[in-house]
Amino acid sequence: MAESTHTTTTAAAPSRAGLEARSATFSTTASAQQAVAALEREALAASLAADQEKAAADAAKSAAKAHKAALRKAAAAAKAKAAKAEAAAKAAAQSAATASTGSAGQSSTTAATTAATTSGTTATAASSSKADQLIAFLKSQLGKPYVYGATGPDSYDCSGLTQAAFASIGIDIPRTSQEQSTAGTPVSLSALQPGDLIFWGGEGSAYHVGVFIGNGQYLDAANSSTPVAIHQLADYEPDWAVNVL
């Protein structure tokens, strides 16, 4: 009887080349996953940057819109202020016309004759003459430069000009705008007369002074970029006024 032969089959061990191939496959897969993750991070960063840029643009648009609204509001306020000043100037002109004529039915000649016969009106006429002389002096200084602390005759600051002008008609007033704002008799801005001192800032704290010359105008030495000049009262309404004539 033939002896049976038992053959045991043993699985062949993986070769070195096979192991290296598997390792390379795993490495390639990991690298791909890392690349995908990197791309996802870059995409997220780009999205965040885009959101931030949009937010910044929206904020800039809102700021520009607010600025335009503020400019419109300021322009409306300036227009209203100018209208108010114009109305005040018209009221002052009507008041001056009424005072000079005495009544609507009298002619200017009759008013002048009556003024010459009364001491009260004579004083008013003298005051008017002083105002004319004052304004004539001021107009003769037009175009001269503004220099802080200057009192003339070649240059002036605001209160140096007004002091020199009143000195030219024999009236002594203090040196500074603050002191000048407390001199004389306070008058309403709606009833200004030529020759009245007008101030920006309150009584005793004025920071600028000029002289009302009639017809809704004033004359001053404003600043180093503006020589002695005439301006419209409606463009820069004062806060306070006094009469020293």
Side-chain angles (χ1 to χ4, degrees), residues 71-219:
L71 289 177
R72 287 195 297 270
K73 184 176 180 181
K79 185 176 180 180
K81 188 174 183 179
K84 180 180 177 182
E86 183 179 1
K90 288 182 179 179
Q94 291 174 352
S95 176
T98 301
S100 64
T101 58
S103 69
Q106 291 181 319
S107 66
S108 59
T109 301
T110 301
T113 302
T114 303
T117 61
T118 62
S119 59
T121 315
T122 299
T124 300
S127 176
S128 176
S129 177
K130 288 283 189 181
D132 291 341
Q133 295 173 34
L134 175 73
I135 293 170
F137 174 87
L138 288 167
K139 288 184 176 180
S140 72
Q141 310 306 306
L142 288 172
K144 290 186 177 180
Y146 172 99
V147 175
Y148 179 76
T151 57
D154 299 321
S155 60
Y156 300 92
D157 64 10
C158 65
S159 55
L161 175 62
T162 52
Q163 185 185 48
F166 278 91
S168 73
I169 58 173
I171 297 177
D172 182 32
I173 62 174
R175 171 65 184 88
T176 67
S177 58
Q178 293 87 353
E179 294 170 326
Q180 291 177 12
S181 67
T182 63
T185 304
V187 296
S188 170
L189 296 178
S190 63
L192 288 172
Q193 296 294 322
D196 286 345
L197 285 170
I198 55 176
F199 300 91
W200 288 262
E203 180 182 9
S205 61
Y207 56 86
H208 184 58
V209 59
V211 178
F212 180 68
I213 61 173
N215 298 319
Q217 296 179 318
Y218 69 93
L219 188 152

Side-chain angles (χ1 to χ4, degrees), residues 14-112:
S15 68
R16 181 185 180 111
L19 290 175
E20 289 178 349
R22 291 182 184 180
S23 176
T25 300
F26 292 152
S27 177
T28 301
T29 302
S31 296
Q33 290 174 343
Q34 290 173 352
V36 169
L39 289 174
E40 290 176 346
R41 287 194 298 271
E42 290 177 358
L44 179 59
S47 177
L48 290 175
D51 290 342
Q52 290 173 347
E53 289 178 356
K54 184 177 183 301
D58 291 342
K61 288 180 180 179
S62 296
K65 185 177 181 181
H67 181 64
K68 289 182 179 179
L71 289 177
R72 287 195 297 270
K73 184 176 180 181
K79 185 176 180 180
K81 188 174 183 179
K84 180 180 177 182
E86 183 179 1
K90 288 182 179 179
Q94 291 174 352
S95 176
T98 301
S100 64
T101 58
S103 69
Q106 291 181 319
S107 66
S108 59
T109 301
T110 301

